[in-house]
Amino acid sequence: MTRIAVFAALTLLLLHSAASSVDRVAAGLDTGLLSYRKSAAHAVYGLNCRLTSPSASKCAIFVPEGVGNGNALITGGKINQTVTLAAGANEVLINVPAAASPDNSDIATRLSVQGLGNFAFQTWITAQVAPPVVYYAEMDKDEYSPGETVKIRVIALDSDTLLPVTGSIELTIKDPDGTVVATWKESMTTKGLWSTEYPLGDEAKEGQWRLIKQKSDENYYYLQQVFNVRQQELSDLELMVSTPVSISCENSTFTVSIEARSITGRTVNSNGTVDLLWDGYAPGKTVTSFVLPASGKTNLSIAVSEQDCRMQNWGQWYTYSSLQLRFRISNAVSGINGTAVAAIPVDSFSLSLSSYMTINSTRVAFYFTLDPQGSGQHPPARVNITTDCQNYSYIATSFQSELVDIVPGSSYVMKRECPFGYHILHATKEYIGQNRRWKDPTDNWLYDAEYQQLWLVPSGSEFPVGATATFAVMSQEANITVMFEVATRGKPVQTGTLRLTGNNGTLSIPITEQLKPTFTVTVIRTAGNGGAQGVAYIGSEVQLRVTGDYFNKVNITYSPSKVFENDDVLVRVQGPPNSLVAISVVDHRFLFNFNGSSVSNHIDTDTWLDLYFGQNTARKPIEQRRKRAIEKGPTNASLTNGETFWVEKRTDATGIATITLRLSLGWWGVYAYALSDTSGLCVANTWSIITVEPRDLHLSLQAPTRVVRGETFLAHVTVVNRAKQPANNVRVMIKNSTDLLLTLVNASSPSDPTKDFALLINTIPAESEVTVSFPLKPVHLGLFDIVVAAFYDTWTAFSDQLIRVIAEGVPVSPSYSVMVDLRVNSTFNQVVNTTMADNAVSDTGSTTITIYTEMLRASVDGLDKLITMPSGCGEQNLILLTPTIFVSKYLQTTNQFQGEMRDHALSYMLIGYQRELNYRHSDGSFSAFGDSDASGSTWLTAFAIRSFRHASEFITIDDNVMTIAENWLLSQQQGDGHFNEPGRVIHVDMQGGVNSQETMTAFVLIAFLEKNASSLQPANKASAVAFIEQRLPSVTDMGALAIITYALHLANSAKANDAFTKLNALRTTTAKDTYWQPATGSTSRAIETTSYALIIYLRRNLDLDAFPIASWLLSKRNSLGGYQSTQDTVLALQALAEYFKRTSGSAQAPSATVTVTADRNQTTYTLTPATANATRQWKLPFVPKSVGIVASGSGMFIVQISTNYNVIPVTTAPSTGRRRRAAEATISVAATLVTDTLAALAVNVCPRSTSVTGMAIVQIDVPSGYEVTQAAIDRLKSANVLNLKRVELNDGQLVLYYDSLYTANYCATVEFNRASDVVGTKAVFVRVTDYYSPEVTNSARVEPKAAQKASVCDLCGSSCSGCQNSVVSVVEATFPAASTTVAATTATARSTTRPVSSSSTASCHWLSISVAFLVGHQMAAAF
């Protein structure tokens, strides 16, 4: 009944009682038998209207005999039309209004049909027009991890011809909570196809997300795709499982073939088990453990019995429908593990019952057909049919049983008679096999419905084009006229009437191409003549298939036919000439999860064109996000496991399009479809699977991803011999260097870096592997190029890995911004002291000196990382969203908001919005740590809606999110006008000490008034303003006064001038700058206060006086373009963006000469208006003691000096040299090793403070060679540590978030497990910091003694030369010069995909480890 109920809109119409409900009172199981009852004497009814032209729709209306004829008025929406109706079937042409939407969605409306004059009746029809354009959306996969990007394609086809069209896109994305997170409305620029990408934040909510195309009725979806988000890790082992088509429960044994492959190229040699789950949930037995050999291939025999696959329910035995096999495979030596799931149907047979009946005054006769259905090799031999007759009180009588022999493919017609008044036939079925009997779990209930019925019986279930489908139409009432409809792809294509002769009639439907792939035939009529029984609308429906291909085909081939690692694979797609081909390349493990997000899932189904029904399962303002360039995208890609690749290309005149791929080990799926102006949609039959195999000699390299200079780490090189014969005298060579010194075991000193040598492996058995290890000690910071060569005979292989070497200690990044203003004075001269701290680590310094003629360029370039502090709570998260908004407003004003800059900005806003929703409570409020907080926070809720209102200029913010949050805020307002704070404020400085109520009230007012929120009623506003006006005279805190003054200006308060005068009197003025420094606050608070002051100055149009304020704020900017914390960064960039937006029109492009001197080094730049937007940058490998800037000319620009180096932290609170608040906390941390072994470390971390702090963070460095597992993080989270609100792992640090510290016990135990082999491990540090006063910090030192004292042989054992029982020996060798080129090429390619984070350049660079196997002394071209 799908098309009837959803699209074909079989609408049954009433005379005199239009509002009565429709009751389905009868249904046969498989015939689609429909029965409806209405309480009316006579009725007019209609079938679906269909679009016949862009301006007309044809509706079928049936008038029963006896109703009469005449004129009727049809009204609804923009339709108002008079028509003439006669008895019988009427086809009425309705004019479609010119104002109809492009997809005709506004025609889907309920129309009133009212008889005029003596032709009196009132009823309704649904004039729903099938849209001329059908849409389909697909994603590159169905399941994503947070932090990944969702790739989206939308196809637009003419619903009749299936040719591509240029449609309009109106899509919405909703998160698992149903919150709108993105929308876009735009036209497709490429015929038939539109594509984009949607970024998921690294904390995107887990669950089911929805992509929706809505109609005008928001509850009705044209199209809906879903995709799931959850944290997942792909296994290192890929499994392919082959099972039988089905299994029998007749005590049988079946065989399962297993093939496993390591994506690292290692041999499998794993142990495995299989768990059996019946129907996916009922536990079965675990098969005895099995072993996978090195080849990874084996066969497994599994025995099942009748007892295994049966369950008992309410005293009856039932057979499970499927057996699920869950494979678990692991290798303790290599660490390789994997899982796979396969489901096998159980042989099942059922008898479906379909029926019709006759009725008279003495008895009810049921005629029903038994149709054997199912699969398998062992069908039951007989079935016992038991029936009973029941009345509407379900009292049973007339029990009968009959044994029937079963012959597959045959049907049986049976008859049962029931006494009059017993109108329900109940049937049960018990099957009898060779060794068992079992009950069919489905009972059948057949109803007579107490009135005449229709039956529609087709002559077959599928028909070829050119044939004629015939249908027997049977009715209990003789000599009547019925109405029929034929519909396909959601559209009616034929309607008419059929006069029955006696009780029977024959309907013939010619099968045409138009009816592909399936079509539905419906018959309907009215019955009854009033009285107590009322009038019934009865009908019957069947759906049939048209055989043959529905779509034209696309063919996919690739070469070479056998693909090895590092081979280039040429993929060739054959489609129609000059068509647009969409190609997808996916790691095969994602294919197992495709439930509908790929076009390939719909090519052979009946429903793929029912896209607008919302039946499919699958996956800026997005409206402004970047569209992927069709036909201009990449045609070559290198993919590693877990990745996907999409590209759209035009085929040439011969219909060919090609791409070149380089794929990592494993199985890869390739799919393609084409859109042609002449052939329509063309699809591939299925996914093409490319198998990428390792070579007979394969090499796998394992080394830590990060080490500290001076530590010794082991590079483990595993040589895999996949051949059927042993490999003898295999040499593994390492390219020695002065950067990475090779440490020979038992040698008195490191090896000579000018000489090469090899480790000799005597024999590697067939299909086996041997691991050798190289101890390496990095002595420099930089990109190490470790080149290893191994060879025997003519076999060779390659591998590479990246490793980052960092310096000892903790990175710091002092920054200095100098505003050079030549607008009044044409010369400038200043010297900046940049000397490193006394505790700096040697050889770690670097300096970048940048000249910005665009004042906010540094912030624009660093939007993704404006501050160096962690940002993992609800307030800190807004650092990604809010500053980006204000910078983007400035870029829009200066016509720079375009290209990649715009794309990145919108992406940051989208992710920031996504993340912030994680901190939303069920009542709509927000707090720093979301649901882990007892209550929402007034302060953070105000900050969030303030940010969201500004963000709505660029991205879609769900109106419900804003409305509910604002209503929650208003509910916190007290009778005297102030806003209460039920939650905890983690930024205590913001409240201005004891004057918290007026500060909070001012902050909330700013959130409402900055963007004129309509939810703030005049009374609420007036009482809040009156409250802070009353408190104004007593406010002494400078920061609180700044917030209050801004709020009063936004509210147009009469006290605004008084507040400004009071604030202005507290400023500090120097020869160059103006700023506000609270007497009891940090630099961060001074930045906040000064930022508010700058915004107030601009609101008062004091632009000239504002310049020294802006100059001071710019001078405090860090090297990343931000400041110290979230609040100061948000407010400073809001103020600066507004200032430069206001002054950009009058700004003078610089024309100047600038000489920069760094100690004895000097460089000169010439700035001209023609090159105003160019950025000049000078990088130095050291930190100078001072930097001198001499400039002459005109204009204004900024010289940013960014220094980076490491320090050894001190363990006492440093003196900042700044005025500090009297009650400022002395913060400290203790760190004690409670477990210290090579295998594991555990550190007890105890932060504390002498007075109450706001939010504090503890950063714990992860020692080299160790890792923090998710299980360890989960244990820490569940330990109920006082005030510990959040734990996260961030770039080699474990970060603990405390919402407050004082003198209580805040101790937490952190666990580390060994992940790679490092000895001589350096000390690491634990640091505690007051987030909003970053100067308030302290550290503790942790010395992992076991790893410091361990020797190389303690870790590598026999794999190192010189250790006990070593399997290798040292031989001299000469490393070929050609390898340098290969290694350099590899390093360059990798560095483009793994860029260095700007926050790490102070102390480290990316190092590339390239490992190569050689053929003799020749370098093989395997890359």
Side-chain angles (χ1 to χ4, degrees):
M1 185 55 185
T2 299
R3 283 188 170 85
I4 291 291
V6 181
F7 190 89
L10 176 61
T11 306
L12 308 172
L13 307 163
L14 307 181
L15 181 62
H16 304 308
S17 59
S20 59
S21 62
V22 178
D23 299 319
R24 179 169 180 170
V25 296
L29 280 178
D30 295 291
T31 59
L33 181 64
L34 308 174
S35 296
Y36 294 88
R37 180 178 301 162
K38 294 282 187 175
S39 55
H42 297 285
V44 174
Y45 59 94
L47 293 177
N48 187 49
C49 303
R50 63 189 187 279
L51 194 69
T52 57
S53 73
S55 61
S57 181
K58 184 175 289 186
C59 302
I61 300 176
F62 187 83
V63 179
E65 296 179 6
V67 175
N69 56 68
N71 292 332
L73 178 65
I74 301 179
T75 58
K78 297 181 180 181
I79 296 175
N80 189 312
Q81 186 172 336
T82 300
V83 297
T84 300
L85 299 178
N90 297 265
E91 286 196 336
V92 177
L93 199 64
I94 298 176
N95 295 322
V96 178
S101 63
D103 59 4
N104 296 293
S105 59
D106 60 348
I107 303 303
T109 184
R110 194 173 186 225
L111 301 182
S112 167
V113 183
Q114 183 174 6
L116 301 177
N118 295 328
F119 187 48
F121 68 90
Q122 172 72 53
T123 190
W124 287 262
I125 64 174
T126 298
Q128 184 180 44
V129 176
V133 178
V134 61
Y135 294 89
Y136 179 72
E138 66 167 348
M139 275 69 61
D140 56 330
K141 50 186 180 179
D142 277 353
E143 196 162 83
Y144 298 85
S145 292
E148 293 185 335
T149 297
V150 181
K151 299 173 183 176
I152 302 170
R153 287 189 184 124
V154 177
I155 302 170
L157 304 173
D158 182 278
S159 58
D160 281 327
T161 65
L162 297 185
L163 296 178
V165 297
T166 302
S168 60
I169 301 299
E170 299 180 11
L171 294 180
T172 297
I173 292 181
K174 293 187 176 183
D175 71 8
D177 294 334
T179 302
V180 174
V181 294
T183 61
W184 62 97
K185 298 179 181 180
E186 52 189 271
S187 298
M188 302 175 70
T189 56
T190 299
K191 184 179 288 188
L193 186 66
W194 179 88
S195 61
T196 191
E197 295 178 352
Y198 178 73
L200 294 170
D202 55 7
E203 296 187 14
K205 287 187 177 182
E206 297 193 10
Q208 190 177 87
W209 293 55
R210 292 187 295 160
L211 176 69
I212 298 166
K213 184 179 188 303
Q214 291 184 316
K215 295 187 68 172
S216 55
D217 177 359
E218 64 179 9
N219 296 315
Y220 186 86
Y221 302 139
Y222 253 148
L223 172 153
Q224 174 174 289
Q225 296 279 44
V226 302
F227 60 96
N228 293 309
V229 176
R230 69 178 181 90
Q231 196 63 51
Q232 55 184 323
E233 291 186 11
L234 291 175
S235 166
D236 290 339
L237 198 67
E238 298 187 13
L239 299 178
M240 285 286 201
V241 179
S242 298
T243 65
V245 175
S246 65
I247 60 173
S248 170
C249 288
E250 301 284 333
N251 296 311
S252 63
T253 298
F254 62 93
T255 299
V256 175
S257 297
I258 307 170
E259 180 178 358
R261 178 168 296 160
S262 167
I263 64 173
T264 65
R266 301 281 298 271
T267 55
V268 178
N269 289 325
S270 298
N271 298 318
T273 60
V274 181
D275 291 330
L276 307 184
L277 290 176
W278 295 98
D279 284 352
Y281 68 89
K285 61 185 178 182
T286 299
V287 177
T288 304
S289 299
F290 62 90
V291 175
L292 282 176
S295 64
K297 298 179 181 180
T298 192
N299 292 326
L300 184 65
S301 293
I302 300 176
V304 294
S305 65
E306 178 183 350
Q307 189 66 29
D308 292 332
C309 62
R310 289 196 306 163
M311 65 174 173
Q312 191 174 26
N313 186 22
W314 295 93
Q316 297 289 338
W317 285 96
Y318 300 97
T319 301
Y320 293 110
S321 62
S322 68
L323 174 62
Q324 188 179 91
L325 309 180
R326 295 187 178 180
F327 295 83
R328 292 179 174 86
I329 297 173
S330 62
N331 184 311
V333 176
S334 66
I336 294 173
N337 60 81
T339 61
V341 177
I344 311 174
V346 175
D347 285 355
S348 62
F349 276 83
S350 65
L351 294 176
S352 69
L353 273 66
S354 56
S355 71
Y356 65 94
M357 63 213 71
T358 61
I359 182 171
N360 59 30
S361 59
T362 60
R363 54 106 177 119
V364 179
F366 290 89
Y367 298 87
F368 55 95
T369 301
L370 282 67
D371 182 19
Q373 297 177 346
S375 61
Q377 306 301 316
H378 305 281
R382 311 180 80 189
V383 61
N384 184 36
I385 304 291
T386 300
T387 61
D388 59 85
C389 302
Q390 299 185 11
N391 61 17
Y392 289 129
S393 297
Y394 296 99
I395 297 175
T397 187
S398 304
F399 293 89
Q400 299 181 58
S401 294
E402 181 178 345
L403 282 174
V404 178
D405 293 332
I406 293 178
V407 178
S410 300
S411 297
Y412 309 87
V413 177
M414 303 184 68
K415 178 182 178 181
R416 290 287 187 270
E417 291 190 353
C418 295
F420 185 80
Y422 287 79
H423 301 283
I424 303 172
L425 184 71
H426 172 225
T428 61
K429 297 158 288 186
E430 182 184 32
Y431 304 114
I432 303 171
Q434 295 178 356
N435 302 306
R436 64 189 178 105
R437 302 167 70 104
W438 69 97
K439 185 179 184 300
D440 191 313
T442 303
D443 287 2
N444 295 96
W445 301 83
L446 310 178
Y447 299 83
D448 75 341
E450 299 187 60
Y451 46 77
Q452 298 92 338
Q453 298 190 18
L454 283 174
W455 297 272
L456 181 65
V457 182
S459 57
S461 59
E462 58 181 33
F463 301 90
V465 173
T468 297
T470 59
F471 302 81
V473 182
M474 296 172 286
S475 172
Q476 173 62 27
E477 185 179 2
N479 303 314
I480 63 171
T481 299
V482 300
M483 191 172 185
F484 70 88
E485 177 191 74
V486 181
T488 182
R489 286 180 266 135
K491 286 187 174 184
V493 294
Q494 183 182 352
T495 58
T497 59
L498 176 70
R499 183 73 178 179
L500 302 188
T501 301
N503 299 95
N504 299 284
T506 300
L507 179 64
S508 299
I509 305 295
I511 304 302
T512 65
E513 292 280 352
Q514 186 185 21
L515 297 183
K516 284 185 175 181
T518 62
F519 65 98
T520 302
V521 180
T522 306
V523 293
I524 189 170
R525 67 173 298 273
T526 59
N529 55 2
Q533 295 290 326
V535 174
Y537 296 86
I538 58 177
S540 183
E541 176 192 83
V542 293
Q543 187 178 65
L544 307 172
R545 173 182 289 274
V546 179
T547 58
D549 288 337
Y550 183 41
F551 301 108
N552 296 305
K553 295 299 180 182
V554 164
N555 294 317
I556 303 173
T557 58
Y558 64 89
S559 61
S561 58
K562 191 168 187 178
V563 181
F564 293 99
E565 54 185 326
N566 295 319
D567 278 351
D568 283 339
V569 183
L570 181 66
V571 177
R572 182 176 180 271
V573 179
Q574 173 78 58
N578 303 312
S579 60
L580 182 63
V581 176
I583 305 173
S584 305
V585 184
V586 179
D587 184 318
H588 93 286
R589 287 170 290 184
F590 294 133
L591 299 183
F592 295 141
N593 296 324
F594 265 147
N595 294 317
S597 66
S598 170
V599 167
S600 65
N601 290 76
H602 297 273
I603 60 173
D604 291 321
T605 70
D606 299 338
T607 60
W608 100 269
L609 275 174
D610 298 339
L611 306 172
Y612 28 78
F613 293 173
Q615 295 177 352
N616 296 306
T617 57
R619 351 252 153 242
K620 325 180 172 174
I622 278 245
E623 57 262 38
Q624 298 188 32
R625 268 195 59 73
R626 175 182 73 248
K627 292 190 286 286
R628 295 177 64 239
I630 296 177
E631 301 180 82
K632 297 181 181 179
T635 57
N636 297 276
S638 295
L639 301 183
T640 58
N641 300 88
E643 294 182 333
T644 63
F645 173 66
W646 276 16
V647 67
E648 295 89 23
K649 296 194 67 178
R650 285 282 177 190
T651 59
D652 59 22
T654 64
I656 301 296
T658 63
I659 60 171
T660 301
L661 303 172
R662 181 171 293 183
L663 306 172
S664 62
L665 293 174
W667 291 282
W668 294 85
V670 180
Y671 190 78
Y673 58 87
L675 294 169
S676 167
D677 290 339
T678 56
S679 302
L681 177 65
C682 308
V683 299
N685 280 321
T686 186
W687 287 83
S688 295
I689 302 298
I690 299 176
T691 302
V692 182
E693 302 180 10
R695 301 181 189 276
D696 282 355
L697 189 66
H698 176 79
L699 183 128
S700 176
L701 172 65
Q702 288 182 308
T705 58
R706 182 210 306 252
V707 293
V708 177
R709 177 177 57 182
E711 296 174 336
T712 298
F713 69 92
L714 295 177
H716 299 296
V717 181
T718 300
V719 186
V720 182
N721 176 23
R722 307 185 71 87
K724 300 295 184 181
Q725 63 276 349
N728 299 320
N729 299 320
V730 179
R731 300 188 180 196
V732 184
M733 299 179 64
I734 185 166
K735 178 70 174 177
N736 213 345
S737 73
T738 57
D739 294 321
L740 261 178
L741 296 182
L742 181 64
T743 302
L744 297 177
V745 177
N746 298 328
S748 58
S749 62
S751 61
D752 183 347
T754 64
K755 295 182 179 179
D756 298 325
F757 69 93
L759 298 180
L760 178 64
I761 305 173
N762 292 327
T763 299
I764 304 177
E767 296 185 328
S768 297
E769 61 184 46
V770 172
T771 298
V772 299
S773 302
F774 295 98
L776 300 169
K777 185 175 184 178
V779 294
H780 295 140
L781 305 175
L783 184 61
F784 290 105
D785 190 1
I786 302 177
V787 182
V788 174
F791 59 90
Y792 86 101
D793 293 340
T794 59
W795 296 100
T796 185
F798 298 90
S799 180
D800 69 281
Q801 182 185 318
L802 295 173
I803 184 171
R804 186 157 52 129
V805 174
I806 63 176
E808 313 91 296
V810 175
V812 295
S813 303
S815 179
Y816 315 87
S817 293
V818 179
M819 173 79 80
V820 180
D821 188 0
L822 302 175
R823 295 176 298 174
V824 177
N825 298 318
S826 61
T827 61
F828 180 92
N829 192 336
Q830 183 174 335
V831 176
V832 181
N833 182 10
T834 56
T835 303
M836 291 195 299
D838 294 338
N839 58 337
V841 178
S842 62
D843 299 327
T844 62
S846 65
T847 303
T848 301
I849 301 173
T850 308
I851 298 177
Y852 293 107
T853 57
E854 177 62 62
M855 298 304 169
L856 290 183
R857 173 60 61 182
S859 300
V860 172
D861 293 343
L863 282 175
D864 60 331
K865 192 69 175 176
L866 287 171
I867 60 176
T868 58
M869 297 281 279
S871 53
C873 80
E875 185 262 1
Q876 299 162 2
N877 166 68
L878 291 171
I879 194 66
L880 194 63
L881 173 65
T882 314
T884 306
I885 300 165
F886 297 122
V887 172
S888 297
K889 289 184 178 183
Y890 162 74
L891 293 174
Q892 274 189 331
T893 302
T894 56
N895 298 317
Q896 299 180 73
F897 194 61
Q898 52 194 344
E900 288 191 6
M901 187 183 299
R902 170 180 170 274
D903 294 338
H904 289 315
L906 291 172
S907 179
Y908 301 150
M909 292 186 215
L910 286 169
I911 293 173
Y913 173 47
Q914 280 179 31
R915 286 181 181 172
E916 195 59 25
L917 294 174
N918 293 330
Y919 304 100
R920 185 174 182 237
H921 289 248
S922 58
D923 59 9
S925 63
F926 292 80
S927 69
F929 299 101
D931 288 335
S932 66
D933 293 324
S935 170
S937 163
T938 298
W939 174 67
L940 186 57
T941 303
F943 186 23
I945 67 169
R946 179 182 179 185
S947 301
F948 289 169
R949 286 211 168 272
H950 284 285
S952 63
E953 297 180 28
F954 297 95
I955 65 173
T956 297
I957 304 294
D958 194 318
D959 290 338
N960 288 331
V961 171
M962 295 295 302
T963 300
I964 297 172
E966 289 171 352
N967 288 339
W968 183 89
L969 274 180
L970 292 173
S971 73
Q972 303 306 315
Q973 191 172 26
Q974 306 302 300
D976 61 358
H978 87 270
F979 285 86
N980 182 50
E981 175 56 274
R984 181 172 182 81
V985 178
I986 59 175
H987 185 14
V988 293
D989 275 348
M990 186 280 301
Q991 292 183 301
V994 295
N995 301 319
S996 60
Q997 287 185 348
E998 56 266 31
T999 312
M1000 182 67 70
T1001 302
F1003 193 81
V1004 174
L1005 271 179
I1006 292 169
F1008 278 108
L1009 297 178
E1010 215 169 35
K1011 294 293 290 181
N1012 299 315
S1014 60
S1015 56
L1016 181 65
Q1017 299 301 313
N1020 300 103
K1021 174 183 174 182
S1023 62
V1025 171
F1027 177 81
I1028 58 177
E1029 286 177 341
Q1030 180 184 4
R1031 295 291 186 97
L1032 177 62
S1034 63
V1035 175
T1036 59
D1037 181 84
M1038 193 183 300
L1041 180 59
I1043 297 173
I1044 290 170
T1045 302
Y1046 181 39
L1048 291 176
H1049 278 76
L1050 289 173
N1052 296 317
S1053 167
K1055 299 289 186 180
N1057 289 335
D1058 295 343
F1060 176 72
T1061 301
K1062 189 173 182 178
L1063 177 66
N1064 214 29
L1066 300 176
R1067 70 187 186 277
T1068 299
T1069 303
T1070 68
K1072 299 187 303 178
D1073 301 326
T1074 298
Y1075 60 95
W1076 282 255
Q1077 175 66 61
T1080 59
S1082 63
T1083 301
S1084 180
R1085 189 141 188 261
I1087 294 168
E1088 291 181 42
T1089 306
T1090 304
S1091 299
Y1092 274 117
L1094 177 55
I1095 296 171
I1096 295 166
Y1097 267 62
L1098 295 173
R1099 187 168 184 84
R1100 296 177 68 92
N1101 296 317
L1102 300 174
D1103 295 7
L1104 292 178
D1105 296 329
F1107 174 74
I1109 308 175
S1111 176
W1112 185 86
L1113 285 174
L1114 284 171
S1115 71
K1116 300 304 175 185
R1117 192 167 55 181
N1118 65 28
S1119 60
L1120 304 173
Y1123 291 83
Q1124 295 185 347
S1125 69
T1126 311
Q1127 282 296 305
D1128 60 13
T1129 298
V1130 167
L1131 290 168
L1133 289 182
Q1134 178 181 1
L1136 289 171
E1138 182 61 28
Y1139 174 77
F1140 288 115
K1141 187 170 69 171
R1142 291 270 292 268
T1143 60
S1144 61
S1146 60
Q1148 179 183 358
S1151 179
T1153 300
V1154 189
T1155 299
V1156 183
T1157 304
D1159 290 346
R1160 297 182 179 180
N1161 301 274
Q1162 189 177 89
T1163 187
T1164 299
Y1165 298 98
T1166 300
L1167 310 180
T1168 66
T1171 60
N1173 292 328
T1175 299
R1176 288 84 174 173
Q1177 197 168 78
W1178 185 24
K1179 294 190 175 183
L1180 302 170
F1182 63 93
V1183 175
K1185 294 180 179 180
S1186 63
V1187 174
I1189 303 168
V1190 177
S1192 62
S1194 61
M1196 187 170 60
F1197 53 91
I1198 295 174
V1199 178
Q1200 180 90 27
I1201 306 167
S1202 303
T1203 64
N1204 300 280
Y1205 55 91
N1206 275 33
V1207 297
I1208 301 299
V1210 294
T1211 56
T1212 58
S1215 174
T1216 63
R1218 301 183 179 91
R1219 289 176 292 174
R1220 301 171 66 180
R1221 60 178 185 238
E1224 189 168 274
T1226 299
I1227 202 167
S1228 63
V1229 63
T1232 305
L1233 270 171
V1234 294
T1235 301
D1236 186 3
T1237 68
L1238 281 175
L1241 298 174
V1243 182
N1244 192 40
V1245 176
C1246 300
R1248 69 189 305 273
S1249 176
T1250 58
S1251 61
V1252 178
T1253 70
M1255 189 176 67
I1257 58 172
V1258 176
Q1259 297 165 274
I1260 307 164
D1261 294 333
V1262 179
S1264 298
Y1266 293 89
E1267 67 177 357
V1268 181
T1269 64
Q1270 186 59 50
I1273 292 176
D1274 292 341
R1275 284 192 292 272
L1276 186 56
K1277 289 179 178 178
S1278 61
N1280 296 320
V1281 176
L1282 182 64
N1283 285 1
L1284 179 62
K1285 307 298 289 188
R1286 179 182 171 92
V1287 180
E1288 69 181 19
L1289 194 60
N1290 183 13
D1291 194 27
Q1293 285 184 340
L1294 188 69
V1295 184
L1296 313 182
Y1297 293 80
Y1298 291 86
D1299 64 2
S1300 179
L1301 293 178
Y1302 191 34
T1303 57
N1305 179 6
Y1306 305 101
C1307 296
T1309 299
V1310 179
E1311 302 170 357
F1312 305 93
N1313 292 333
R1314 175 162 293 283
S1316 56
D1317 292 334
V1318 180
V1319 296
T1321 304
K1322 300 290 185 179
V1324 295
F1325 296 90
V1326 178
R1327 299 182 299 288
V1328 60
T1329 305
D1330 185 331
Y1331 186 85
Y1332 293 102
S1333 297
E1335 307 97 316
V1336 182
T1337 184
N1338 214 327
S1339 302
R1341 187 184 183 101
V1342 177
E1343 301 275 0
K1345 297 293 186 182
Q1348 287 179 347
K1349 296 178 180 179
S1351 69
V1352 167
C1353 289
D1354 289 335
L1355 295 177
C1356 68
S1358 62
S1359 65
C1360 287
S1361 172
C1363 293
Q1364 188 174 3
N1365 300 321
S1366 174
V1367 298
V1368 295
S1369 56
V1370 178
V1371 295
E1372 292 186 0
T1374 300
F1375 206 94
S1379 64
T1380 303
T1381 302
V1382 173
T1385 302
T1386 306
T1388 300
R1390 285 298 186 94
S1391 66
T1392 60
T1393 59
R1394 297 274 299 271
V1396 180
S1397 170
S1398 59
S1399 62
S1400 64
T1401 56
S1403 58
C1404 59
H1405 302 278
W1406 280 103
L1407 312 183
S1408 171
I1409 299 179
S1410 300
V1411 179
F1413 284 134
L1414 307 180
V1415 181
H1417 295 287
Q1418 302 294 322
M1419 176 60 67
F1423 280 109

